[in-house]
Amino acid sequence: MSPYKRWSNFRTSFQFKLFLIFSLLTFLITCLLSTLYIVTEIRKSRHLATERLQLQAQNLADSVRLPLYAENRDMLRRLAEHAAKAPRIRAVVISDPNGRILADFQVQTPSALSGVISQTVKVYSSHLVDSVESSMSGGRDTTTALIGTVRMERGTADLSEAIRRLIMISVSMAVAFWLAVTLLCHLVLRRVTRSFNALLLGINAMQEGDFSTRIDIESDDEPGRAARAINNMASALQQRGEENIRLQEERLNIERQMLHAQKLESLGVMAGGIAHDFNNLLQSILGNIELVSMKLAPDSPSQKHIAHAMNAVKHAARLTNSMLTYLGRGLITKKELNLNELVRENAEMLRTAASTAVSMELSLSPEQPAILADESQLQQVVMNLIINAAESIQENPGVIKLTTGIQNYDKTRLDSSLLDKKPSPGRYVFLEVSDNGCGMSRETLKRLFDPFFTTKFTGRGLGMSAVMGIIRSHCGALLVESEPGKGTTFRALFPVPESALPATVQPHPPPDPSTSLRADLLPLEMGGTKTQPEISTSPEKPLSGVALVVDDEKSVLRICAKMVTLCGYTVITACDGIDAVTKFREHADEIAVVLMDLTMPNMDGITAMGEIYGIKPDIKVILSSGFNEEDLSGRITGQPPSGYIRKPYSVKVLETELRRVMQGP
């Protein structure tokens, strides 16, 4: 702190005010006492000088009585001169009773300009000497008579010098006394106001927001008790501040979670819109391609180009499903799986596609229990993690290590999962994929699951987003350890069912007609090569009757009506839910089945289905959408639909679902 600042603080302090008051008070008292002392000493000195001069004059008067009576001027002059030799005598004057000067002796001194003190003594005749009259009368005269006066003057130069010395000494002593008293007052006030200054510092610290400062308590008096109260208040405010900081952090975390939830919700709305519009386009493209393929000969050269177009449609369908998988809304068919076998198959498949500089090591637990998971989605997790590990190694020699096992995880370990939703503690089967590649920075880890974010020049940035959505839909967790230049380790956790047994590899059962939708969609989503749609030629009873086809997209409505017609039905079309209810009410006795889109303007498919069930409860209704059938279960509160078919679908899938709904399994 600068001297000026320190002086400013001291000048405005309570200690300075008290010090100023006591200093002025002691100064006034010192001045008053010094003045009284000096005046008293001056008076005393003049009084003593006057008394001494009085005695000298009295002595001279006693000596000159006879010469004065005889008026002997010579004797009187000698006596006056002798008396004038006394120190500081300025003049000696002897006069008769009539005032006639008989002897006058003046002393010339250098200090003639100084003041004088004069004393006059009357000289009386002695009662021991008889007067002439009394002698002649023969009597005794006992009275005295005035025979003259003696006046002596002395200079006051010595008194003035003594007074000056007295004033100097008195002033010096007064100043020394005042300084000593002032210093003592300062020390006393400093000691007395120390507690108040400590209180002031503590209050200033609290005013500036510092609640960690504590006041030293030196006594148990009023300032000490006030300091203790302020310390308690500072402690309470500090705890409240820490609590506010904690609540602020919790509020920020909640806001981040809300923003993330809003982001996911926005992505869900976006993905739903894309799935609806994109799948409508894919449905129109796929249907038209199938119709063209049916009109061509099987050995036509154009069939090859149609196959390429079919593969492009399948690729687009996989892209749409990846976006839905990120939100946990992809197509899920859970069954018991052997994670070791799935890892081994994908590792062997990707080993040949990876660079020759990359080697893979498998460390699979032999006592691995089975887990409930969707095989195709779990395959995406394994493939994406292996591909990311291989790409992080780049062209340098490296190792990818795949490890499986089972382990108990507590809340602390699971809270470090990168997924927002933390699973419950328990037993988890884990898949660990580690590499010694380039690693990831903190900034990259923060954006690891952002859709369309990628650090590569190629790719869509949906791989890790899909991994997150798949693990979240399986109620699992994802742990990541990475450091730039030291590689990355991903550990995907999947919960173990309570009654899980060691998994065994079993052959896949033949497809069930009731699950023909899933069987057909699997190669479509996983990039299968099935390109030639075929109309069922089984000897089953042919389909016939009137079908109501509802869709708001004209191109989709047209191609779906054509596909239903190929299945054997006479088709009535409707452009939205209101139109569908109106036409169904007109032809309720004729219509046998309703194929209705889910998302439509004016009235959606679920509402229209409820209106149609109100007209004819036993009507068969098949809903069509790009979403999962599981997503619709929470939205349907009344009578459920008779069937569900997911866009885009082929003629064979449509025929299989119609036959299942109308004729049963």
Side-chain angles (χ1 to χ4, degrees):
M1 185 182 296
S2 64
Y4 176 76
K5 181 67 174 177
R6 188 174 300 173
W7 164 247
S8 299
N9 293 338
F10 177 71
R11 186 179 59 185
T12 58
S13 65
F14 178 67
Q15 178 183 352
F16 177 76
K17 294 178 181 179
L18 289 178
F19 174 74
L20 186 61
I21 293 173
F22 279 107
S23 298
L24 291 177
L25 183 60
T26 54
F27 177 76
L28 293 176
I29 294 175
T30 303
C31 291
L32 179 61
L33 294 177
S34 300
T35 302
L36 292 175
Y37 175 73
I38 292 172
V39 171
T40 302
E41 289 297 321
I42 291 175
R43 290 178 179 177
K44 183 178 179 181
S45 298
R46 291 185 67 87
H47 180 69
L48 291 176
T50 302
E51 288 184 348
R52 188 179 294 110
L53 184 60
Q54 178 73 22
L55 291 175
Q56 290 176 343
Q58 186 66 44
N59 290 335
L60 180 59
D62 292 339
S63 301
V64 301
R65 182 175 285 112
L66 290 178
L68 180 61
Y69 184 79
E71 294 185 359
N72 187 346
R73 291 178 179 270
D74 293 335
M75 181 62 70
L76 292 174
R77 183 173 180 78
R78 284 196 298 271
L79 290 174
E81 183 179 358
H82 182 269
K85 290 181 180 179
R88 293 174 290 279
I89 298 299
R90 299 277 296 277
V92 178
V93 179
I94 301 174
S95 305
D96 61 7
N98 297 322
R100 184 167 51 91
I101 298 175
L102 300 178
D104 184 5
F105 186 81
Q106 301 290 333
V107 179
Q108 300 295 329
T109 60
S111 58
L113 298 178
S114 63
V116 295
I117 298 175
S118 177
Q119 284 292 326
T120 301
V121 177
K122 294 179 180 181
V123 183
Y124 293 92
S125 62
S126 174
H127 58 79
L128 298 177
V129 180
D130 296 334
S131 64
V132 178
E133 292 78 5
S134 62
S135 299
M136 291 179 64
S137 62
R140 187 76 179 175
D141 189 4
T142 59
T143 62
T144 59
L146 179 64
I147 60 175
T149 60
V150 174
R151 182 170 59 86
M152 294 184 69
E153 297 179 359
R154 77 181 298 277
T156 60
D158 60 330
L159 296 179
S160 299
E161 183 65 24
I163 290 172
R164 283 195 294 269
R165 288 197 302 269
L166 177 64
I167 292 174
M168 291 180 61
I169 294 173
S170 299
V171 170
S172 300
M173 293 179 63
V175 170
F177 173 77
W178 178 71
L179 291 177
V181 172
T182 302
L183 178 60
L184 180 62
C185 177
H186 172 70
L187 295 177
V188 172
L189 289 176
R190 183 177 180 182
R191 178 67 181 85
V192 171
T193 59
R194 181 183 301 174
S195 300
F196 293 100
N197 291 333
L199 289 175
L200 183 61
L201 291 176
I203 293 173
N204 290 337
M206 292 174 59
Q207 186 177 4
E208 294 175 358
D210 181 14
F211 302 119
S212 61
T213 303
R214 296 294 180 268
I215 303 173
D216 296 333
I217 301 175
E218 300 180 356
S219 61
D220 198 24
D221 53 2
E222 288 78 4
R225 290 193 291 270
R228 186 176 292 107
I230 292 178
N231 286 341
N232 294 335
M233 183 171 61
S235 178
L237 291 176
Q238 183 180 8
Q239 293 178 0
R240 182 177 298 179
E242 293 174 353
E243 182 68 15
N244 289 337
I245 292 175
R246 185 184 64 82
L247 293 177
Q248 183 74 5
E249 292 177 352
E250 291 182 358
R251 185 180 66 83
L252 291 177
N253 290 333
I254 292 174
E255 288 181 356
R256 293 191 191 101
Q257 294 176 4
M258 291 179 62
L259 290 175
H260 187 71
Q262 292 174 359
K263 175 182 176 182
L264 292 180
E265 184 178 357
S266 300
L267 289 175
V269 174
M270 180 190 70
I274 291 177
H276 177 265
D277 297 335
F278 203 57
N279 285 331
N280 282 337
L281 295 174
L282 293 178
Q283 181 63 47
S284 178
I285 294 171
L286 181 62
N288 283 289
I289 290 175
E290 281 191 309
L291 294 179
V292 172
S293 177
M294 292 169 57
K295 293 183 179 180
L296 294 176
D299 56 349
S300 172
S302 299
Q303 291 287 359
K304 180 175 66 174
H305 301 291
I306 292 176
H308 292 321
M310 294 283 288
N311 286 332
V313 172
K314 296 172 184 177
H315 185 74
R318 287 198 306 271
L319 178 61
T320 303
N321 193 61
S322 296
M323 296 182 65
L324 292 175
T325 301
Y326 165 70
L327 299 170
R329 299 169 64 179
L331 184 61
I332 299 177
T333 305
K334 292 184 179 181
K335 61 181 180 180
E336 288 191 356
L337 290 178
N338 185 344
L339 183 60
N340 287 348
E341 189 65 26
L342 190 66
V343 171
R344 188 178 292 108
E345 291 176 359
N346 284 274
E348 292 297 330
M349 179 181 61
L350 294 176
R351 191 190 302 272
T352 58
S355 172
T356 56
V358 178
S359 60
M360 293 188 185
E361 296 181 1
L362 300 183
S363 178
L364 307 181
S365 173
E367 300 296 331
Q368 189 82 345
I371 59 174
L372 291 176
D374 184 281
E375 183 177 3
S376 62
Q377 291 195 357
L378 210 61
Q379 186 178 21
Q380 289 188 51
V381 173
V382 177
M383 292 177 61
N384 280 317
L385 293 180
I386 294 177
I387 291 173
N388 279 350
E391 290 179 346
S392 67
I393 296 175
Q394 299 175 351
E395 300 298 330
N396 300 322
V399 178
I400 300 175
K401 186 175 181 180
L402 305 178
T403 306
T404 61
I406 182 171
Q407 188 175 348
N408 289 326
Y409 284 87
D410 55 12
K411 184 178 183 300
T412 303
R413 291 288 305 277
L414 294 175
D415 284 344
S416 60
S417 172
L418 294 186
L419 275 63
D420 294 332
K421 186 177 181 181
K422 313 300 181 184
S424 302
R427 297 173 67 226
Y428 287 84
V429 169
F430 67 85
L431 165 64
E432 184 177 277
V433 180
S434 60
D435 63 76
N436 57 352
C438 59
M440 291 181 289
S441 63
R442 291 185 178 180
E443 290 74 15
T444 303
L445 281 173
K446 290 179 180 178
R447 303 190 59 190
L448 182 62
F449 301 117
D450 288 355
F452 309 108
F453 170 76
T454 178
T455 58
K456 310 174 184 65
F457 291 104
T458 59
R460 298 184 302 271
L462 286 173
M464 293 307 301
S465 301
V467 168
M468 184 193 73
I470 292 171
I471 296 178
R472 181 169 52 199
S473 64
H474 286 75
C475 301
L478 182 63
L479 310 178
V480 181
E481 296 179 2
S482 184
E483 189 174 346
K486 296 185 179 180
T488 303
T489 299
F490 285 93
R491 176 170 284 202
L493 308 181
F494 301 95
V496 178
E498 295 181 358
S499 57
L501 299 175
T504 56
V505 180
Q506 298 179 354
H508 295 289
D512 190 349
S514 62
T515 61
S516 59
L517 170 63
R518 304 293 190 266
D520 186 74
L521 279 179
L522 182 61
L524 182 65
E525 294 172 355
M526 297 305 299
T529 58
K530 180 181 176 183
T531 60
Q532 180 65 33
E534 297 179 358
I535 302 297
S536 175
T537 57
S538 61
E540 296 178 351
K541 181 179 178 181
L543 298 173
S544 62
V546 178
L548 176 62
V549 179
V550 188
D551 203 296
D552 60 310
E553 292 288 340
K554 293 183 179 180
S555 59
V556 178
L557 180 61
R558 184 170 54 251
I559 195 65
C560 288
K562 183 64 176 177
M563 295 170 72
V564 173
T565 301
L566 291 176
C567 292
Y569 285 93
T570 302
V571 175
I572 300 175
T573 60
C575 62
D576 57 25
I578 296 177
D579 189 22
V581 174
T582 301
K583 291 185 176 179
F584 182 82
R585 185 176 286 110
E586 295 175 354
H587 305 279
D589 296 335
E590 304 174 22
I591 297 175
V593 64
V594 178
L595 177 62
M596 183 156 37
D597 186 26
L598 176 65
T599 306
M600 294 181 296
N602 300 326
M603 182 184 290
D604 61 10
I606 295 178
T607 305
M609 180 180 65
E611 295 288 338
I612 291 174
Y613 278 146
I615 299 172
K616 188 176 181 180
D618 58 347
I619 188 66
K620 304 295 185 181
V621 178
I622 301 175
L623 290 181
S624 173
S625 175
F627 296 107
N628 294 335
E629 186 176 357
E630 291 81 358
D631 294 336
L632 302 179
S633 58
R635 299 173 56 183
I636 300 175
T637 58
Q639 184 177 348
S642 303
Y644 175 81
I645 186 169
R646 190 165 185 248
K647 293 180 181 178
Y649 51 84
S650 63
V651 177
K652 181 179 179 181
V653 172
L654 177 61
E655 180 193 7
T656 302
E657 185 67 11
L658 286 171
R659 190 175 298 280
R660 184 190 68 81
V661 170
M662 301 304 297
Q663 298 179 357

